[in-house]
Amino acid sequence: MAHPKRRHSSTRRDKRRTHYKATAVTLSTDAQTGEVHERHHAHVFEGNLFYKGQMIIENYAKTA
């Protein structure tokens, strides 16, 4: 199993971690309902489940 021969400095460690950052969630507005939702995710509006502007499941809130 590999292990370092010398200790890595904190600067080197921090340079490696610069790319691990949080990104904001992309939001979209549904054309049919006008609801703001997370992109590529289904969302509930007035008890119905919508995805890509289409109603997928009617009365979803009662079944879930």
Side-chain angles (χ1 to χ4, degrees):
M1 196 160 124
H3 60 281
K5 191 168 189 173
R6 298 258 185 263
R7 180 181 171 154
H8 284 196
S9 68
S10 58
T11 305
R12 188 168 175 166
R13 177 202 63 205
D14 293 343
K15 282 182 183 178
R16 184 181 68 246
R17 291 181 180 173
T18 58
H19 302 289
Y20 302 143
K21 50 186 162 248
T23 57
V25 176
T26 308
L27 298 176
S28 289
T29 305
D30 195 329
Q32 185 175 358
T33 62
E35 185 82 7
V36 176
H37 62 91
E38 197 173 338
R39 235 181 138 109
H40 303 293
H41 285 73
H43 64 281
V44 178
F45 179 74
E46 294 180 354
N48 301 322
L49 188 69
F50 284 86
Y51 184 67
K52 289 188 176 180
Q54 308 232 347
M55 187 187 331
I56 305 299
I57 300 174
E58 197 169 352
N59 300 325
Y60 177 76
K62 294 177 185 173
T63 59

